Amino acid sequence: MANGSDQAGLGIASQDCGIVQFDGWHDARARFEADLAPRLGGHLPKKVGETTYQHSKLVVRIAPRRFWLISDGLLPPIDIDPELGCMLQLGEGRVRLGLSGWKIKHVLERCVVVDWDSLQEGEGVLVGFHHVPVLLLRTGSFQCDLFVPRSFARSLVDWISDVSSGVR
Amino acid sequence: MKRLNKLGRIDRSQPVAFTFDGKAMTGFRGDSLASAMLANGVKIAGRSFKYHRPRGIYSAGPEEPNALVTLGTGGRREPNLPATTVELADGLVAESQNRWPSLKFDLQSINSWFSPFLAAGFYYKTFMGPTRRSWMFYEHFIRKAAGLGRAGEQPDPDRYEVRHLFADVAVVGAGPAGLAAALAAAEAGANVVLVEQDFMAGGYLLSETQDGEAGAWLAGMLVRLAGMANVSLMTRTSAFGTYDGNVLGLLERHGSRSADPKQGEARQTLGLLRAKSIVYCTGSIERPLTFANNDRPGVMLASAARIYLNRYGVLVGKRVLVAADNDSAYSAAFDLAAAGAQVTIADSRTQPAPQLLEQARRAGVAVRTKSTIAKAIGGQSVRAVLLVEPSGRVTLESDLVAVSGGWSPTVHLTSHLGSKPVYRQDIRAFVPGKVGAGQFVAGAVTGSFILGTVIDEGHRAGNEAFMFCDATRSSRARVQRDPPKTDAGPGVVGDENPGLREESPLSPPPEDARLSMQVSDGVGGKMTLAKGKAFVDLQMDVTVSDIALAHQEGYRSVEHLKRYTTLGMGTDQGKTSNFYALSAMAGLRGMAIPDVGTTTFRPPFTPVAVGALAGLSHGQHYKPFRRTPIHDWHVSNDAEMLETGLWMRPWFYHASGHDVNEAYVAEMRNAREAAGLMDISTLGKIAVQGPDAAEFLDRVYVNGFAKLPVGRARYGVMLRDDGIVFDDGTTTRVGDQHFFMTTSTARAADVMSRLEFLLDTAWPDLRVSVSSVSDEWAAMSVAGPKSRDILAAAFPDLDVSNDALPHMGLLEGRYRDKPLRIIRLSFSGERAYEIYTGASVGKEAWCRLMEAGTPFGLKPYGLEALGALRVEKGHVAGPEIDGRTTLDDLGLRRMAGKRSGFVGEVLGRREAFSDPERPRLVGLRCVEDGKRLRGGAILFRPSEPVQGHGLGRITSTTYSPTLDAWVGLGLLASSAAQEGAELIAHYPLKGEAVRARVVSPTFLDPKGEWFHG
C-alpha cells in the first residue's frame, strides 16, 4: 500500500508485513510452547498481549494458546508437529500502519482505550480501534505500529487523519 | 440590580458583547451569561414549562431550574442551557425559550388561569377519550403549549470528539476539598486529574471575596497545583456519570469561550476517564423554600445572591429580604449589606445563635426571628413580601428575596452505581452511602460544612486515594498536610476567618464559621400560609398541591410521585426540588424521611449533547468501511459502489447500462453468453486446522465432510441449535488436517464467532484451530461458457482442463510469489471458477484476468447481476435463509440424509417443523405481459380476498433475459405450492397485483450440464 497521510505532527506510513500464527492444542500446551520457544529464538511472552523481541522479530501472545510472529518481510513457514499445534500464514491479511509524531498520544486517546503513558516501548496491546480489532505496538517515545485488517486499513487511515487534524 | 465598580473576579478591562433576545448587551471577561444578564438589568430570564409564568435567575450553578436559554443560531443552535453555567463569550447569541410573542408578554401565560384543570396527571384523565386515538389528536396541541427549547434542524457544523483518559486519582470538584485532595494525592506521587464543571476552580471559595483569606488560599493552591507536572486541572468539564471500573463520564466544553470555534477545533469532548481511584468532592446545593409565588423573578437562592455579588460584582437587589432557617444565609445578608443593600433577615427559627445576631447588628442587618415568608408579592417581579410572625402578618417592600432552606449534599455521582444515599438526622440531609472500592468522598458532599474540616477531609481522601491506587508506593503516602504557613499557599491564615486559624488549621471553627449551618425542618408547616402557587419543582411547574394530589390519588412511592407529577424529570433533574418533594411525601404519609427514600440517581448529572456522544462517528466515520483489494479498480472503472454491511461492493458498472436495471441485465446476459468476472473477496473465509478438523466440520454441517478427499470442495449448510438454517457455503479440503471454509458475506463474523463458541464450550476436547482469513485472500469468480479459456490464458502454467480441475475441484499454485487457489464452483449456474490469491496481489490478479479475458468477451459484473444469476439457478441466499426457514423449507433436507449428531439436528425434528402447511421454496414466473414481480409481494389464491398474511411471499426476483420473463423465488404454503398453480402476487406498497405461476425454483439448466464438463 502507498504511504498514508503525513500531516504536521503525525505521520502515517503503511506497509505490508509478515505474520505467522502458531496455535497449540489444549492437551499439549506445555510441549507446544517448549517446542516453539527455541525455534522463535528465545522465550515466549507469558500473558496475552505481552510481546517479546526475538532476533528483530516480534512475538505476541495473541490468545492463551496462540502466538503471532511478526516481521517486516515475508516469514518462511515453520513446521509444527501436528500433534502439538498448527501454523498459519496471516501476513497478507494485515497491514502495518506506522504512526509517528508529537501528536501521537493525543490522537490515540481519541481512538483507543490505551494509556499511552503506561505502555512500555515494545509492549503490545489488542484494542478495538473504531470498532476494528487491532494490535497496537509501541515502538518509541512518539511512535507506534498498528496491525490492522487490510480491508479496514484505508478507513482507519482516514479516521486517524481526521482525528489528527483536530489536535492542536 | 447594578454592576459594582469593585468586587468580583471579572476583568473590567475586557468588555464582552453579547445579545439576549436580540438586544445588544455587554458584560466582562469572567462573567457567566447569567451574571451578565443580571448586570444588564434582565429580570425575566424565561417562562415556565407549563403555566408560562415569568421566571428569573434563581441560582448560580448547574442546579438552575429557571433561566434556560438557547444559544447560537443555525446549526449551532443548542437549547435548554442554564444561563448560570454558560461562560460569557464575544458574540454570544442567547435567546429565551417557551414564549410567544415575547418574553415579557407571553400569550400562553393564559395557561395559568386554567391551572385548576392542569394539575398533576391532568392529561391522563382529560385527554383519553372519547376514542382510544384521541390522545394522538390532543398531543399536538399540548406539545405546543408546554415545553422547553427547540432543537436546531440544520446540521451542526461543529466538531465533537471522544477521548479516553487515564489517571491514578481522579478528583471531582475543585472546591476546597477537591483542591486539598488533589494536592495530597499529587504530592504523594499520583497522577491526578482534577475535574471542575465551572470555568474557574474554587467551588464555594469563589463566593468569598477575592481579597479575603479564602481568596488568597485559593490563589496559592492553584499556583501550587499548576506547578505540578502530575496534576491536570480540567475546568469547564462536567463529570456527568460514574460507571463500572471507576470510570467517569466527562463533558469538556471548548467552544464556550467563543461563539465560533476555530475550524477543526472540537466544540465539546466526551471524556471517559479511567481512574484507579476517585475522590468525590462534589459539594452541596442550597435548598429553596416553598411559599406562595416563590417562583417570581426576584426570588433567588441566598448563596446565588452572594456569588453574584462577590464573584461577579453584581448587586442583585437594593431592598433584600433574606428568608432562611439556617445560619449560612447570614453570610449572604452580611455581604449584601456591606455592598449597600438594605437587608432584612426573616429567620423562622426561634433563637438564632447570639453571635450571629450580634454580627447582624454590627452589619446593620435587621433580623426578624420566628418570621416565616408566606408570599412574594408582585407580577413580573417581586415588589414586596408577606411574612407571618407570632404578632401577625407583616408586609415588607423588597426587590430581592434571597432564600435558604439548608443544603443538600450532591450525592448523584456517588449513587450512580447503585449505592443508596444515607440519611443523616443531625444535618437532615442525605449523604453518600457506602461507595465502591477505590472511591472516596470529602467535603460538603459528606455533610461537612466547616471549611477547616472540609479541607482536612479532602487532604485525607487524597492520601487514601493514592494509597489505594498504588499500594507499592504507600510508604510515600504518609505525606502530611502542609503546616500553616505565612506565605501564600494552603494553610494561609488570617485573623478574620475563624475557620482557617493559623495555630490550628484542622480544628473546628467557632459556630459562626461561614460554612456552618443549621438545617431546616424540610416541609414544615409553611406550605399553606398564603394563597398562591407554591412551587416545589420550578422547572417542571410542580406545586405543593400537586404532591398532595398525588398522595391523595395513591401515588405515594417517591418513584410513583416522580412519574405522576413529572417532579425531577426536567433537565435539572430536580436538583433543587427532590429533597423537598420526598420530605413532603414523608410528611403526608406520616413517615420518617429515610423511610420514604430517594428516587434512583442515574447519569447524566447534567445534560450531554448528542453531538458529544457521537463524537466523530458520523458521516463517513459513522462506521468503518471495508474495501476489497480490488476496490480501486471498481471505482476507476465506473462501478456504482454499494454499502453492504461494512463492505463497499460494486453494484453494477455504468459501462453496462445507464441505470441498474439496464446494467444488470446486460451483465448477466454477458455472463451466460461469454463470461463475467465478479469480485467475491467479501466472502467469509475461515481456516479450519487440526487433527480433529474433519470431525468438527461433521458436527457443524448437516452434511458430512470427514470423507471429503484432499483437493475437493463441498457445499455445506449449518443449522442453529434450534434447527433453523444458519448459513451456507463451501468448504475445501486443502490438506489432510486443513480445510478452507467460505461463508456468506453477511454471516462471516457470526459463523466465525459460532465456531469459536462451539470449540470453547461444547467440544473443548477437539484439537481444532479456527482462524478468520477473510482479509488474507483476494477472491474473484470467473463464470460463463468461456471461463476455462480465460483461466487458461491468464495462468498458462496451470492445467485447468476438466480432468485436472473438475467441478468442485481444487488447484493450488503461486501467483507473483503469493499463494493461489482455484476452486471450481458455481453460484451462477455457469461453469465457474473461484480464484483466491494473496490480498496484496489481488488487484493485479484481477487485472490479469480482465486482460486475458477481454478477447473472450469477459466483462465485470456487479452485485445486482450476481443476485439475478443465482435466482435463475434457484440458489438460496440471505432473503431465503432469513432466520425462520428449515432444511425442509428450503428443499435442502437431502443434504443431511440420515445423518445425525450435527448441530440443530435434535431440535430440527420438532413437530412444528413438520407441519404440512409450512412454507417451502418455490419458483414463480410472472404470467402478465408488461408487469413484473417484486420482492416482498404477498401471495394469494386468485379466488381469495387480498387480506392478511396470505399464503406466502416472494423473497427474490429478477428479470431473466434468457427466459424473457420476470421470475422469482418465494416461500409458499405447501398446500398451494403445486407447480402450475396460479397465484396473485400483491405488493401493497405500490398497490400492484400481478398474476404469477408456481414453477420449479431451478429456472435454467435443471440437470446442471452447464457447469459440468
Side-chain angles (χ1 to χ4, degrees):
Chain A
M1 284 180 72
N3 282 349
S5 66
D6 187 11
Q7 309 170 27
L10 187 78
I12 309 172
S14 172
Q15 65 180 72
D16 290 338
C17 60
I19 300 176
V20 179
Q21 174 179 286
F22 304 96
D23 225 345
W25 310 136
H26 63 93
D27 55 357
R29 180 171 173 175
R31 285 190 294 140
F32 165 71
E33 293 187 14
D35 178 65
L36 186 64
R39 303 169 75 181
L40 299 186
H43 298 290
L44 297 175
K46 288 187 167 46
K47 293 180 182 173
V48 173
E50 281 187 359
T51 59
T52 57
Y53 276 115
Q54 314 276 6
H55 303 297
S56 78
K57 295 185 182 68
L58 179 74
V59 179
V60 188
R61 188 185 286 264
I62 213 86
R65 290 186 276 117
R66 184 172 280 187
F67 298 89
W68 279 6
L69 175 64
I70 300 172
S71 80
D72 288 338
L74 193 64
L75 285 163
I78 297 175
D79 290 334
I80 297 293
D81 181 350
E83 291 301 312
L84 302 180
C86 61
M87 185 278 295
L88 187 66
Q89 291 275 4
L90 288 178
E92 287 290 306
R94 282 167 180 79
V95 171
R96 186 173 193 151
L97 298 179
L99 273 54
S100 61
W102 66 267
K103 285 185 180 179
I104 192 160
K105 176 186 173 181
H106 308 288
V107 169
L108 287 178
E109 73 184 14
R110 286 163 171 78
C111 298
V112 290
V113 188
V114 170
D115 185 359
W116 179 254
D117 293 329
S118 300
L119 195 66
Q120 301 298 310
E121 199 171 317
E123 193 176 347
V125 58
L126 292 163
V127 295
F129 200 118
H130 191 29
H131 312 291
V132 180
V134 163
L135 172 64
L136 186 156
L137 174 69
R138 183 166 187 169
T139 55
S141 300
F142 296 97
Q143 291 99 33
C144 76
D145 283 348
L146 303 174
F147 297 88
V148 308
R150 183 180 292 271
S151 59
F152 285 109
R154 193 179 302 175
S155 202
L156 290 192
V157 168
D158 291 346
W159 170 264
I160 294 166
S161 300
D162 206 357
V163 168
S164 177
S165 70
V167 176
R168 296 279 186 263
Chain B
M1 284 176 276
K2 69 171 183 180
R3 178 83 78 177
L4 304 176
N5 291 326
K6 58 177 186 176
L7 287 179
R9 294 168 183 272
I10 51 173
D11 184 349
R12 289 177 173 79
S13 68
Q14 291 197 53
V16 177
F18 70 103
T19 65
F20 177 65
D21 279 350
K23 186 177 176 185
M25 299 181 180
T26 306
F28 294 111
R29 183 74 63 207
D31 260 326
S32 69
L33 174 60
S35 68
M37 287 166 63
L38 287 169
N40 280 273
V42 174
K43 287 187 175 176
I44 304 175
R47 287 278 170 171
S48 74
F49 177 77
K50 190 161 70 174
Y51 301 123
H52 289 254
R53 288 166 68 102
R55 293 283 170 80
I57 292 165
Y58 195 78
S59 73
E63 68 271 30
E64 174 62 31
N66 287 345
L68 302 184
V69 296
T70 297
L71 287 193
T73 56
R76 292 199 170 97
R77 183 183 169 85
E78 187 174 3
N80 304 332
L81 295 171
T84 50
T85 63
V86 175
E87 183 179 1
L88 196 65
D90 270 317
L92 185 145
V93 176
E95 196 179 283
S96 60
Q97 304 180 159
N98 197 32
R99 81 289 187 272
W100 189 84
S102 71
L103 186 58
K104 195 166 185 183
F105 179 71
D106 180 5
L107 278 177
Q108 289 189 320
S109 60
I110 195 172
N111 286 3
S112 223
W113 297 2
F114 297 102
S115 60
F117 305 104
L118 303 178
F122 74 95
Y123 44 85
Y124 298 137
K125 305 165 189 167
T126 313
F127 296 107
M128 291 296 108
T131 70
R132 289 176 62 188
R133 295 193 172 190
S134 297
W135 169 251
M136 309 301 284
F137 171 77
Y138 299 127
E139 186 184 19
H140 174 74
F141 299 98
I142 291 172
R143 297 271 181 229
K144 281 212 160 194
L148 298 174
R150 284 184 299 107
E153 295 176 359
Q154 297 175 31
D156 187 340
D158 287 332
R159 180 186 179 91
Y160 298 84
E161 290 181 340
V162 175
R163 289 171 73 197
H164 300 279
L165 305 170
F166 298 84
D168 292 331
V169 177
V171 180
V172 183
L179 292 168
L183 183 69
E187 286 187 332
N191 287 317
V192 178
V193 172
L194 176 56
V195 178
E196 172 53 51
Q197 63 192 358
D198 203 329
F199 53 91
M200 282 185 183
Y204 156 80
L205 298 175
L206 295 175
S207 64
E208 298 282 353
T209 54
Q210 192 173 2
D211 53 0
E213 296 305 321
W217 185 87
L218 171 60
M221 284 294 282
L222 293 176
V223 167
R224 290 190 67 175
L225 290 170
M228 303 180 81
N230 57 336
V231 176
S232 172
L233 171 58
M234 297 176 71
T235 53
R236 303 180 180 84
T237 303
S238 303
F240 63 79
T242 305
Y243 303 93
D244 288 335
N246 285 349
V247 175
L248 287 170
L250 308 179
L251 184 69
E252 205 178 347
R253 302 177 300 278
H254 309 287
S256 50
R257 285 184 64 83
S258 165
D260 184 14
K262 282 183 289 185
Q263 185 71 24
E265 188 178 343
R267 180 179 176 189
Q268 294 182 0
T269 299
L270 184 87
L272 294 169
L273 173 59
R274 289 161 173 83
K276 292 174 185 169
S277 59
I278 302 173
V279 183
Y280 296 101
C281 305
T282 49
S284 57
I285 293 172
E286 194 167 33
R287 295 176 194 152
L289 294 175
T290 50
F291 50 89
N293 294 339
N294 63 342
D295 64 327
R296 284 285 182 249
V299 178
M300 178 184 282
L301 293 174
S303 59
R306 189 170 183 233
I307 290 170
Y308 288 118
L309 176 66
N310 289 335
R311 178 173 173 181
Y312 300 108
V314 179
L315 184 60
V316 288
K318 292 177 182 171
R319 292 188 304 277
V320 182
L321 186 280
V322 176
D325 58 4
N326 63 85
D327 291 355
S328 71
Y330 281 72
S331 304
F334 299 156
D335 288 354
L336 290 165
Q342 180 188 325
V343 182
T344 301
I345 297 176
D347 192 330
S348 60
R349 294 173 296 178
T350 305
Q351 186 59 56
Q355 56 267 50
L356 275 179
L357 296 176
E358 174 56 22
Q359 274 188 283
R361 188 190 63 75
R362 288 204 306 261
V365 173
V367 179
R368 305 174 76 97
T369 57
K370 301 183 202 171
S371 178
T372 302
I373 185 167
K375 184 174 185 175
I377 300 167
Q380 299 274 323
S381 64
V382 172
R383 286 186 289 104
V385 292
L386 177 66
L387 303 177
V388 175
E389 298 176 350
S391 58
R393 300 189 168 216
V394 179
T395 302
L396 290 181
E397 284 192 9
S398 176
D399 61 353
L400 175 70
V401 179
V403 297
S404 178
W407 294 80
S408 291
T410 312
V411 298
H412 303 66
L413 289 175
T414 56
S415 306
H416 281 171
L417 290 178
S419 169
K420 291 281 183 191
V422 176
Y423 190 71
R424 264 181 57 183
Q425 187 63 38
D426 59 329
I427 60 168
R428 299 190 185 177
F430 284 94
V431 296
K434 186 182 178 187
V435 292
Q439 298 182 9
F440 305 89
V441 289
V445 69
T446 68
S448 297
F449 298 101
I450 308 298
L451 189 53
T453 309
V454 164
I455 293 172
D456 186 39
E457 282 186 11
H459 189 82
R460 188 171 62 243
N463 268 324
E464 289 173 350
F466 167 77
M467 285 189 280
F468 178 87
C469 74
D470 195 344
T472 60
R473 289 185 289 178
S474 59
S475 58
R476 292 183 56 199
R478 288 191 293 273
V479 175
Q480 296 299 308
R481 179 185 173 199
D482 283 352
K485 297 174 184 172
T486 52
D487 57 353
V492 166
V493 296
D495 297 332
E496 295 178 4
N497 189 333
L500 288 171
R501 287 190 184 283
E502 179 177 2
E503 61 272 22
S504 180
L506 302 181
S507 62
E511 287 181 30
D512 63 346
R514 291 182 176 188
L515 272 174
S516 68
M517 59 170 283
Q518 293 177 20
V519 295
S520 71
D521 291 328
V523 182
K526 302 185 273 291
M527 52 210 308
T528 55
L529 291 174
K531 189 178 176 185
K533 287 191 179 305
F535 287 89
V536 178
D537 187 332
L538 290 163
Q539 188 172 108
M540 299 306 289
D541 269 352
V542 179
T543 62
V544 170
S545 55
D546 285 329
I547 295 175
L549 180 65
H551 174 263
Q552 180 185 321
E553 297 190 351
Y555 298 98
R556 298 175 180 183
S557 150
V558 287
E559 297 287 1
H560 292 161
L561 168 68
K562 171 182 172 179
R563 285 156 182 82
Y564 190 63
T565 62
T566 69
L567 186 143
M569 294 175 75
T571 59
D572 66 342
Q573 291 285 286
K575 291 180 178 64
T576 54
S577 63
N578 280 347
F579 183 82
Y580 184 88
L582 61 92
S583 58
M585 184 55 79
L588 290 164
R589 293 175 64 182
M591 299 170 69
I593 289 174
D595 295 335
V596 173
T598 65
T599 52
T600 305
F601 295 94
R602 298 185 180 90
F605 173 63
T606 47
V608 180
V610 173
L613 294 172
L616 288 176
S617 297
H618 61 89
Q620 65 159 333
H621 294 312
Y622 175 67
K623 60 184 180 183
F625 287 111
R626 302 184 77 175
R627 294 173 173 87
T628 75
I630 310 158
H631 177 88
D632 289 347
W633 189 94
H634 302 314
V635 173
S636 61
N637 283 272
D638 212 13
E640 184 72 31
M641 302 303 287
L642 186 69
E643 287 179 36
T644 55
L646 296 179
W647 285 102
M648 296 298 293
R649 304 187 70 180
W651 186 20
F652 65 94
Y653 295 84
H654 286 283
S656 304
H658 73 276
D659 64 11
V660 61
N661 291 323
E662 188 177 298
Y664 90 84
V665 172
E667 288 171 6
M668 65 190 294
R669 181 180 282 127
N670 189 67
R672 294 267 183 243
E673 294 175 356
L677 188 62
M678 173 78 194
D679 181 358
I680 55 169
S681 302
T682 60
L683 288 178
K685 308 171 202 79
I686 299 170
V688 183
Q689 298 171 276
D692 299 321
E695 169 67 19
F696 175 62
L697 292 174
D698 261 5
R699 297 183 191 182
V700 298
Y701 279 129
V702 304
N703 47 331
F705 279 76
K707 295 178 181 174
L708 182 70
V710 174
R712 298 290 293 177
R714 182 168 291 167
Y715 175 70
V717 175
M718 294 179 194
L719 303 184
R720 302 188 317 211
D721 286 333
D722 62 3
I724 295 290
V725 174
F726 178 38
D727 194 37
D728 66 344
T730 58
T731 291
T732 307
R733 194 163 199 164
V734 296
D736 186 47
Q737 296 184 7
H738 190 174
F739 292 81
F740 178 64
M741 174 188 286
T742 61
T743 73
S744 65
T745 298
R747 289 281 162 80
D750 296 336
V751 172
M752 181 66 200
S753 175
R754 176 80 174 147
L755 298 183
E756 288 179 328
F757 172 79
L758 290 170
L759 284 171
D760 284 344
T761 60
W763 311 309
D765 55 313
L766 292 184
R767 292 175 298 171
V768 176
S769 166
V770 291
S771 307
S772 171
V773 289
S774 294
D775 275 33
E776 194 71 11
W777 299 91
M780 53 215 85
S781 170
V782 55
K786 303 286 179 63
S787 57
R788 183 187 292 144
D789 299 328
I790 294 166
L791 207 57
F795 303 105
D797 297 338
L798 298 178
D799 180 2
V800 294
S801 66
N802 191 52
D803 291 339
L805 185 57
H807 184 60
M808 304 305 275
L810 163 72
L811 191 64
E812 290 195 278
R814 306 287 293 178
Y815 175 70
R816 300 189 75 82
D817 205 30
K818 303 291 181 185
L820 173 71
R821 287 176 184 162
I822 301 175
I823 307 170
R824 188 169 164 188
L825 297 168
S826 180
F827 189 55
S828 60
E830 297 294 330
R831 180 190 300 142
Y833 302 86
E834 292 185 353
I835 298 116
Y836 296 85
T837 187
S840 64
V841 295
K843 186 179 164 190
E844 289 178 62
W846 173 278
C847 291
R848 182 159 165 174
L849 279 164
M850 283 303 301
E851 187 181 347
T854 300
F856 298 96
L858 179 69
K859 290 181 180 175
Y861 64 98
L863 201 56
E864 193 70 22
L866 176 75
L869 289 165
R870 72 96 188 168
V871 171
E872 281 188 325
K873 188 60 188 168
H875 284 158
V876 294
E880 291 78 36
I881 303 176
D882 63 355
R884 291 177 288 181
T885 47
T886 66
L887 285 175
D888 290 310
D889 298 342
L890 299 176
L892 299 172
R893 171 58 67 185
R894 67 183 185 284
M895 292 182 65
K898 295 181 180 177
R899 292 185 75 245
S900 62
F902 54 85
V903 172
E905 184 253 335
V906 173
L907 290 178
R909 292 198 301 259
R910 280 180 288 169
E911 188 178 347
F913 287 176
S914 304
D915 184 345
E917 280 305 296
R918 278 190 70 85
R920 68 176 176 86
L921 185 74
V922 296
L924 294 160
R925 179 168 179 160
C926 182
V927 294
E928 285 192 72
D929 290 339
K931 293 193 174 179
R932 58 162 296 178
L933 301 180
R934 293 188 188 276
I938 308 170
L939 300 169
F940 297 92
R941 287 194 178 93
S943 57
E944 290 176 348
V946 177
Q947 63 183 30
H949 293 171
L951 298 166
R953 65 191 185 281
I954 298 179
T955 54
S956 311
T957 64
T958 182
Y959 172 75
S960 168
T962 310
L963 301 174
D964 189 23
W966 277 90
V967 297
L969 300 177
L971 291 161
L972 182 63
S974 298
S975 60
Q978 294 80 29
E979 287 191 21
E982 205 163 287
L983 300 167
I984 299 295
H986 180 60
Y987 192 70
L989 290 179
K990 288 184 177 287
E992 292 177 357
V994 182
R995 285 188 293 121
R997 183 174 299 129
V998 178
V999 296
S1000 163
T1002 308
F1003 294 95
L1004 301 175
D1005 186 29
K1007 294 181 180 176
E1009 293 167 340
W1010 295 0
F1011 55 80
H1012 283 104

